[in-house]
Structure formats: structure tokens, C-alpha cells
Amino acid sequence: MARNRGRSWGPSGRWFTGRHPGSRRERRQRRHGSRAASARRVWPVTSIRSVAGQMFVLQVLIVVLLVVAAVATLLLQSRSDRFQAARDRSLAAAEAFAYSPGLANTLRGPNPSAVLQPRTEAARKRGGVDFIVVMNRQGIRYTHPRPEEIGKKFVGTIGPSLAGRVTTETVHGPLGEEVQVVVPVFDAHGAVVGLVSAGMKASNVSSAVDRQLPVVLGAGAAALALTTAGTALVSRRLRRQTHGLGPDEMTRMYEHHDAVLHAVREGVVIVGGDGRVLLSNDEARRLLDLPPDVEGHRVSALGLDPRMAELLSSRRVATDELLPVGDRLLAVNNRPTDRRGGPRGSVATLRDSTELRALAGKAEVARSRLNLLYNASMAIGTTLDIKRTAEELVYVAAPQFTDYATVDLADPVLRGEEPHVRVGSDGTQLRRVALHGVRDDNPLHGEGELVAFAAPTPQANGFMSGQPVLVPDLRAAEGWRTQDVEHTQAILDYGFRSLITVPLKARGVLMGIVNFWRTSDSEPFEDDDLSLAEELAARASVCIDNARRFTREHALAVTLQHSLLPRALPAQDALDIAYRYLPAQAGVGGDWFDVISLPGARVALVVGDVVGHGLHAAATMGRLRTAVQNFSALDLPPDELLGHLDELVGRIDQETADEDSEAAVVGAACLFAIYDPATGACQLARAGHPPPAVVLPDGTVEFPDIPVGPPLGVGGHPYKAAELHLPAGSTLVLYTDGLIEDRARDIETGLEILRSTLAHAGRTPQETCDAVLDSLLPARQSDDIALLVARTRVLDADQIASWELPCDPTVVSRARAAATRQLTQWGMDEETVFTTELILSELVTNAIRHACGPIGVRLLRDRNLICEVSDTSSTSPHLRYAAVEDEGGRGLFLVAQLAERWGTRYTHEGKVIWAELPIPGA
């Protein structure tokens, strides 16, 4: 290079100039000083010959022209504005004076000048005009700022104004060049009786040009200063960018760059904006087979590959775009050259990537497989349904990895059980669970079919051994043909050519197989594909096993739950009952219902809900249902029964408080109702449960306000009961919150839908259940639903007989006689009448002996004959065995022997002792 001239290569490996080099700092200062001096000599940027100097002159001329144009525009605009302002002011003054009242009469007076001259002068000064002249129709002035002009003829055009129009003109009058306006003066009849002219000199109107001209000149000076400063900055930047290099050094640098360009092993092609090649190095000519004189030729005429020619000519951005050229694979980078103000065109670099094609292909295959595995991890196992999980596997595999995919599982797996692998001479039987492929008209076994795989087949081998089996060519696999000659031939004729069978195995449980099929339209399976198939099957196996275990647990919970629910409703005539129970789809809950027969032809209805899902909730539900039945045997009112149930739940929680395996039951809800068909009364109490619905016989729907207590297990709060009177034919609807509450709606919305659904008269309980579920059953049921519908009946008057007796031993015989008459009237046989007389006499005698106050006797004829004796005492009778020498204690024992059932229930007034006897032939 030029900077090395006069130097020689010394023995120490440094450039040597023959002079003492001095210190490194001195050498750097001399080098920079030499470059700066050279730059000052070579680049006289402030000279008119330099680009910077020429740009400076051009900018100065532009600024001066802009300033001159701005000044001229201001002057023209100022002249126009002055004349317009003078006209507007003159017109306003003339019209104001011409339309003043009394002017027309003054013009007809004897001496108009004497009257109007002072008025016009005053108006002229106030209006800011130079003159206001009043004249007659002939143009003779009556007024003028110069009195000597009065009586002379007006200078200007008055013809249009005599016709009633306003005249505006510019004239040279007595005051000089003026803008004047002539306005007619009308009398009361609309006739023109005179004229008024007002005007002023345009030069007397001030203009904004006087203020704007200094600003324009100042802005021009500032622009000139900025131009000068900008030119100086450009000069400095040019010197900095060229590092002070002169023409010779720049030329030598270009030679070095050209040498490097042709020496690199990467092709470079520069194309101009007209599509002609401007530069091509040796490597580009070699890679593209270009002629030596390619510069100047159009790219389209070089015979290149169409895609390559299009890329070089299009100027579009490309980064490592792979294009085949002959037997080569070139990586092309293309960038336009005019993005930063450069000349229009593009520059492309070419790199031979033929050897990387195989590596790129393998990388692409690895990337696609990783993407497939990622999709499989996201798509497989979204639900705990076995069939759905198998379908997710085949939909992920086909057609990304294979043309067709099938999943075959053992039947016990579909039931949640572990399959018993029995493989003998007959092979193994699996059920086709999922099938998916590129076409639907394939000859493979369809979904739901039970397929018996023969022992030599790949499917049977894979299932027996637990190892994957690869069959690259099905036509050459003789063992596969033993399955079914006709069917396998149909599969081959369809185009299937390759198969991979992978067993589905998780946690030591072999559940089935997955088959991947490829047709002749795809490459056959290779050993590398086997690992991907195993990975897909392994991920799906875990999900299928999870679904299998969930199915097993769900089936166990459902079985337990159904075993704890009522299997049949008790025989009774008080209510017509229908019920529905739907377990949750995702897991079994703790909802339950029950119908319990009570003494006195009464019936108890129970609906409850245990918070939570699974086996624990189902088991807890069974315990609570058993407790309710036991408490009901004590014939307790609803509020007291809920109180005892609350204590029981509290004890259960205390027992399980220290056990991590069980959860507390706090949160259980319950609604308990007792209906008496003899009176039509219904007592209800609820613990954290939704209110029941009552449908009256006319179709009116009510949600009675039943006092709500806390959920069972909370404790510390008493429960309250409410009593309703239900006419015969009314419908009582009890339900759990899973019916009215869902993720898509709140409780209030559910209650309104329930109200509108129930508002129909004449429905049977079965029809009511169907209508309610059709309206409220959610698409995805996340909670159990228990629905109990009961239509009321009332005992007829001839089925009830009652008497009130005084507390006197003499009434026993009277009670027996009345009962005998009533039983005879009901058609009872003699044995039943005798037994009833004996039981009634014992019960009345005990009441007279152990209580005081009136005694009530009631006989009910229902499915059984019910005998009730009530008194005002709360003392509970007890059954005991009397000794031979005892005089008493045999009454209740005798009642217990003669009656089918007997017992005691307490009322607000005392107690009722009842006994039931069977009715022969009932």
C-alpha cells in the first residue's frame, strides 16, 4: 500500500524506514498527522470543486430562492389584503350612513349640506375611513372632507347605484388613489333619492407584511447559517469516514478488495436495477457456470435455474435460502443495495451446501419427530376416557408419522380391569378401539370389532413378547398372512406395505397394541422409525393406564354408591313417587335419597349431599343414610332428627381428624320431610340444602321458605322445622344442587328454569322427572344429581275414626265398643276385631293409669290397621317380662305379641302409642 512505500522488511519482522522509529506514541502521532495532512491535500471539502462545496452552494441558492419567493408572496398577499380591508371598511361606513333614519327627508330639505356636512365628518372619524360623501341623483356633492369640493360632481361611477345596487371601485379622486363604495339612499317608497359614498386610501390600511417581513428575513439568515454548519459537519464526517485517505490510497484499497473478492470461496454476484450483472467473482462463475464476460448481461439471459434467476432479479431479501443448481445445493443470501440510499440493485452471496444436504435432511427429520412428540404430549391424555385416549393417539400419529394407525385393547382394559394374557394356538383376541388414516375406505378392521390375531402374526408376537415388531415389507412376511388369507390379501391390494406393532404396556400391565401402517405412497418403515413409535406408544400407554385405573375406581365407586342407595321403594299409599339418580361423569359423589315408611301411614322423604367425590364420599353417604333410617325408627320430628345427624357427623369428623387418608365430612347437606296423609300436613327441615319445590294441583309452583340450618357437622346451631299443608294432588320436588347449579349457570338461574319446567298441571311423577332432566341436565355433568318427585294423596274420611275420652277407667269398655262398631263397619273379621279390642283396652288402660288429661283414640285403615292412643304424658313406656307373681307389667308384652309392630312417638302435647295389625286379604 501507499503508506508502506519507502519501507523495507527488517530482520525483526517489522517495517523499517531507515530512521530511528522512536517511541510507539511518536510513531502513532506521526502516522495520524501524515494522514490528516494527506486528507487536507486530497480532499479540499470547502473548495467549490469538492462535493461538500458544491452542496454548500446549492443549499445557499435554495435558501435564497425560498426567501425571495416568501417575500414576493407576502407582498402580493399584503396588497390584496389591503384593498379588501379598505373595501369592507368603506362599505360598512357607507351603508351605516345611508340607512340612517331621516336621511331621505334631509336630502329633500332646503339646505342638505348644512345639515349633513358635520354628520358625515363625525361618522368618517368614527368609521376610520378617509371620506364620506353624500350626493344627489346627479352626483353633485353635498358633503366632503374638503369643503371646497362641495357642490362639485362626484368622481366615480354612480349608474348602478341609481338602479339600487352597491358600486365598488378604485379611482383616483381628490385624495389620491382610493377604494370607494357607492350605496343608494331609499325613501319610504323604495325610490333612490340620493347616494352615499365612503372610501379610503389602500395605503392607509395596515398590513401584516410589515411584521412578517423581518421574520422571513431572519428565518432565511438562520437557514443560511444552518446550511453552512451542516456543510462543515458533512466535511468533517467525510474526512472521518475516509480516514484521511487520498485518491491513491483509495485506489490501492479498491485493488486489495477486488483481490479478496475473487480469492474467497464464496460466490458474490451484484445485479443492477436494470437486471444486468455488474460484478461476479470467480467462485460465483464456477458455482453458476457463468461465462467470463458475464458483466453487463441480463440475468434472465444467462440460462440459470428459474428460481435462481428470479431470486437474483427480484431484489427480495433471502437468508440462507437453499436452491438446487445442477447437482449442487446452494445457500443463497440476497440483499437490496438501495436500502440506505445506495444505487438500485442487489447483491447475492452463494455458498455450496451440497455436503450439508444430508445433514439438513436428518436435522429436519429430527425436528419433525420432536415436534410430533411435543404434539403427542399435549394431545394425548386430555381426558380419563380409555377410548378417547386411544383416539387421540391415532389422530396424532396419522398422517404425521404414518398413513394409518390402529389401537387394539383387551376387553378387560375397557372395563378398568387388568387383562389376563392367554395366548395359545388360537392367538389372542383384542378389540379395535381406534382407527384413523388418510382415507376412510380402507380394508382394516373397524372400530368395535373383536379381532383374533393368530400366533405367527406381528400383532400377536408383539402382544405376547411385550416387544415392538417391525415389518418393512408386508408382502414378504409369511407369518402375517396366516391371520386371514383373504383379508390380508385385500390389505396388500389396497396398498399397505409396511407395519410397526408396539405393545401398550404401563406399570407392568400389558393392555394391548398400537399398529402403525404405511402404504406404497410413503417410504417403508426403518429402524429409526421404531424408536419414535415406541416413544409414542409409551406416552399413550401411561395415559391409557391412568384412564383404565380411573375407570376401575369409578366403577367401584358407582357400584358402592348404587349398593348404598334404595333398591326399591317401600310399599305405601300416601305418595306417588318417582326418582332419578345420575352419578357425575368425572367422579362419583355423595348424593343420596331415601323413602321411609313411618307409623300412622306417614312417609319420610330424604335428600342429601356429601361434599366431595370418590369412594370416601360414597361410603360416607351410606353411613349417613343408615343413620337417617335408624333415627327415623325413633319417630323423631325432622328438626330433632337433623340435630342427631349433625352430632353423628361431628363424631365422624373427630374420628377421621387424625387420619390423613380420610377427609372430614363437614359440608354435608340434607333435607328431611315427613308427610301425613291423614291430615295433609308435611313437616320439613333442611341443613344447608336447597329449598324444595311445591307444585299445587293447578300448576302453581312455589319454593316455600323453609328455615335453613348450617351444613351437617358444623354444630352449635339448632335446626328449625316448618309445616306445610299440601292438598291432594300436590307434587313435592326434592333435589340436590347438582341439578340447578352448573359452571355455566348460577343457582338463581337454575331455580327459574326449574320453576318454569314444573309449572304444568296433571303430570305424573315420572313425566315430571323426565321434563326436569330434559331442561336442567348439563352437557358435562360435574356433580351427582338426585331428584325425588312425590305426588300427595289424602286418606278418605271413611278410613279414619277417632274419639276423645276422659281419663276415667269406665271409658275403657266404651272405647272397645266404639272400636268394634267401626271395625265391623269396615268389614274386619272377628279375629282382627278381637285382637284390636284387646290391644286398644291395654293401651287405654295404660294411658289412664300413667297419665292425666284427655285421651285420644284413632283408628286408621290403610295397608294395615293402625291403632293409636295419645295422652298428655311424656313418660315413655317400656316393654318388660313380668314374673309369675307380678300383678302388672304384662300389657305392653301382650301388645307386642299381638301386633305386627308397635311403638311410641312424641308430640308437642305428649305422646302417641301405636300398634299395627295386618288386614287379612289387604
Side-chain angles (χ1 to χ4, degrees), residues 25 121 366 386 388 578 582 601 613 624 686 796 830 883:
R25 182 176 180 181
E121 286 302 303
I386 298 177
R388 179 58 186 166
L582 301 177
H613 294 82
L624 293 182
R686 58 183 179 137
D796 296 334
E830 295 181 0

Side-chain angles (χ1 to χ4, degrees), residues 373-392:
L373 293 176
Y374 173 78
N375 294 336
S377 64
M378 298 296 294
I380 300 176
T382 58
T383 66
L384 289 174
D385 182 79
I386 298 177
K387 187 176 186 303
R388 179 58 186 166
T389 304
E391 292 175 349
E392 291 170 348

Side-chain angles (χ1 to χ4, degrees), residues 220-284:
L224 187 60
L226 290 175
T227 302
T228 304
T231 304
L233 291 176
V234 170
S235 301
R236 293 183 58 185
R237 185 167 181 82
L238 286 174
R239 289 196 299 268
R240 185 165 55 252
Q241 289 180 346
T242 59
H243 301 287
L245 298 179
D248 295 340
E249 293 178 338
M250 293 291 291
T251 301
R252 193 175 298 275
M253 182 179 295
Y254 170 77
E255 293 174 353
H256 289 174
H257 289 175
D258 185 67
V260 172
L261 182 66
H262 289 280
V264 295
R265 299 297 298 172
E266 186 167 329
V268 178
V269 178
I270 301 177
V271 181
D274 56 353
R276 298 180 182 273
V277 178
L278 300 180
L279 176 66
S280 174
N281 66 349
D282 298 339
E283 184 65 12

Side-chain angles (χ1 to χ4, degrees), residues 132 287 353 368 374 389 391 448 452 525 625-626 642 730 781 849 920:
I132 297 178
L287 295 176
S353 302
S368 63
Y374 173 78
T389 304
E391 292 175 349
F525 284 117
R625 177 171 176 258
T626 303
L642 291 182
S730 300
Q781 183 184 341
R849 182 176 299 175

Side-chain angles (χ1 to χ4, degrees), residues 703-727:
F703 291 95
D705 186 13
I706 309 299
V708 58
L712 300 176
V714 175
H717 299 276
Y719 296 95
K720 296 181 180 179
E723 184 170 334
L724 305 176
H725 179 73
L726 302 179

Side-chain angles (χ1 to χ4, degrees), residues 838-860:
L838 184 58
I839 292 175
L840 184 61
S841 62
E842 292 294 337
L843 295 180
V844 172
T845 301
N846 282 339
I848 295 173
R849 182 176 299 175
H850 299 288
C852 60
I855 298 172
V857 177
R858 187 173 71 165
L859 297 179
L860 300 177

Side-chain angles (χ1 to χ4, degrees), residues 548-559:
R548 179 191 65 83
R549 298 172 68 183
F550 171 80
T551 302
R552 180 187 61 189
E553 294 180 2
H554 184 74
L556 290 175
V558 170
T559 303

Side-chain angles (χ1 to χ4, degrees), residues 322 329 352-368:
L322 299 177
L329 183 66
D352 191 355
S353 302
T354 305
E355 298 178 355
L356 299 178
R357 176 184 293 182
L359 295 177
K362 293 182 180 180
E364 180 63 23
V365 171
R367 187 195 64 81
S368 63

